[in-house]
Amino acid sequence: LALGGTLLAGFSDWLDGYLAKKMKNQESSLGSYLDPLADKVLVTFLTVASGYKGLIDPMVCGVIIGRDVLLLGGAFVHRAAVLNWRWRSWNEYFRVVDSSSANGAGGQGKAGKAPAVKPIFISKLNTVFQIALVSSAITHGAVAWPSADLVEGLGYLTAATTITSGLIYVRMYFKGQMLT
């Protein structure tokens, strides 16, 4: 049941992204936040559960969850800094449309919309590895297939792409190449 739910979630995520790109005007700033957030919630819960059951190395679990906490925390801190650590409401903090174009506000001292999130290729690949890891770990736990060695190897590969993508995002941030 857990494996079926994981595969269905992965497929629906892929289908949503595919349709948003193929259908005109279906990509949005809000969707650019919600889609990766949904991925991270899915992967985090499955990673924690698999780690708790001993199906995934705790170090690998720590790397996966640690990177996501670092990136999410960094994004929240960055947004707060952009707003000068002052915002009138959570609607302003999470604004996904430009205040200057929303209901004629003309800006009036409010910060512009939050930037759209554009994941890099290795991060997309990393998400595929993370979903493959939790799926294979759950399957191994249920039917002893694939082998424990394969799950362990996939875990270390996933940890490597997780660390690499995290470091690339941090480097891009400090070079001013994202969240502008």
Side-chain angles (χ1 to χ4, degrees), residues 78-153:
H78 174 79
R79 180 63 176 162
V82 165
L83 295 172
N84 226 7
W85 297 93
R86 292 184 211 119
W87 52 92
R88 294 181 183 126
S89 68
W90 288 110
N91 285 340
E92 183 177 359
Y93 185 89
F94 290 107
R95 179 178 296 118
V96 292
V97 295
D98 194 0
S99 61
S100 62
S101 63
N103 60 21
Q108 298 178 356
K110 295 181 183 177
K113 71 178 182 172
V117 174
K118 294 185 175 141
I120 56 176
F121 174 76
I122 193 163
S123 186
K124 291 180 178 188
L125 182 64
N126 181 53
T127 299
V128 169
F129 282 145
Q130 289 175 347
I131 291 171
L133 172 62
V134 294
S135 298
S136 65
I138 290 167
T139 304
H140 175 76
V143 297
W145 181 88
S147 71
D149 289 341
L150 185 112
V151 174
E152 182 180 27

Side-chain angles (χ1 to χ4, degrees), residues 7 18 34 38 40 49 70-71 92 110 121 131-132:
L7 295 175
Y18 176 80
L34 292 179
K40 294 301 125 198
L70 175 74
L71 293 181
E92 183 177 359
K110 295 181 183 177
F121 174 76
I131 291 171

Side-chain angles (χ1 to χ4, degrees), residues 56-67:
I56 297 177
D57 183 328
M59 187 244 0
V60 173
C61 294
V63 167
I64 292 170
I65 294 165
R67 172 203 171 257

